[in-house]
Amino acid sequence: MENHGDTTDVHKNSTDSPNGASAVDDPVEAFGPECLDVERELAVFLRRARASSGEMARQVHPDLEPAAYGLLVRLEDAGEQRATELAGYFGVGKATISRQLQALLQLGLVDRRPDPADRRASLVHLTPEGRRRFTRVRDARRLSYARKLAAWDRREIAELARLLHRLNSLADQEE
């Protein structure tokens, strides 16, 4: 939102919020309309990311659920893990992870092996076919990002990555 000469700050004159707290006590009020801009842009970004995740899942396998694509990403990034670790990472219950892992097992994208540290548990890992399919889709996604950001200065890209990391770190601190 541009300011065309009008220097009036509508938030500056507000001393009380509906609940009786001062504007200084309300982080949204203190931050200003930029907070709403961030919220709006993140909502658009997340909507597009969900749609993109669904498309990428279908590219890996036509029967792959979009939510299960994230499991492939995590297994590629972090290596083999227990189902309980995956559930904790995604903040979902064991039943949800079990259902998604079962679907990935049936599609031949992941497999399990006994955990040497605890034979009662198993470690989930990408199969060679799962890794091949995932890598193909991930590389295409990275190429798409590279094309979209080709006109950007490398410093802008680095700054975007830094700011997104900072935002994600804040979210990690709240958990």
Side-chain angles (χ1 to χ4, degrees):
M1 182 159 102
E2 290 187 38
N3 184 343
H4 296 283
D6 180 7
T7 58
T8 305
D9 183 350
V10 295
H11 298 283
K12 197 177 208 178
N13 297 328
S14 175
T15 56
D16 292 321
S17 67
N19 65 5
S22 73
V24 176
D25 294 336
D26 183 354
V28 174
E29 286 295 320
F31 192 61
E34 297 87 354
C35 187
L36 297 176
D37 293 341
V38 169
E39 179 185 30
R40 182 178 42 256
E41 293 304 324
L42 282 174
V44 170
F45 182 80
L46 291 171
R47 179 180 49 79
R48 288 183 176 158
R50 279 191 295 273
S52 177
S53 184
E55 180 56 34
M56 289 185 294
R58 285 186 294 280
Q59 289 175 13
V60 170
H61 193 285
D63 297 329
L64 184 63
E65 293 181 29
Y69 180 81
L71 287 170
L72 299 179
V73 172
R74 180 64 181 168
L75 290 170
E76 173 65 18
D77 288 347
E80 63 184 5
Q81 296 192 344
R82 290 181 177 187
T84 54
E85 291 172 313
L86 291 166
Y89 178 80
F90 287 104
V92 299
K94 282 178 59 176
T96 299
I97 284 293
S98 294
R99 184 181 56 76
Q100 291 175 347
L101 288 175
Q102 187 58 37
L104 290 169
L105 282 160
Q106 289 175 347
L107 295 173
L109 302 174
V110 301
D111 202 0
R112 297 177 191 253
R113 72 174 184 90
D115 184 345
D118 181 355
R119 292 275 183 207
R120 296 169 297 171
S122 61
L123 296 171
V124 180
H125 59 93
L126 291 172
T127 63
E129 178 66 9
R131 186 174 310 282
R132 185 188 67 73
R133 287 172 176 251
F134 171 78
T135 300
R136 178 180 46 82
V137 173
R138 182 203 55 209
D139 291 350
R141 182 191 69 215
R142 288 179 176 171
L143 180 59
S144 174
Y145 278 133
R147 287 180 179 141
K148 288 176 183 176
L149 297 173
W152 288 34
D153 183 275
R154 285 184 177 262
R155 290 175 301 222
E156 291 176 312
I157 297 168
E159 181 67 359
L160 175 62
R162 186 188 71 75
L163 292 171
L164 287 171
H165 176 75
R166 185 174 173 191
L167 183 64
N168 286 329
S169 294
L170 291 174
D172 290 341
Q173 291 172 9
E174 291 176 356
E175 293 174 352

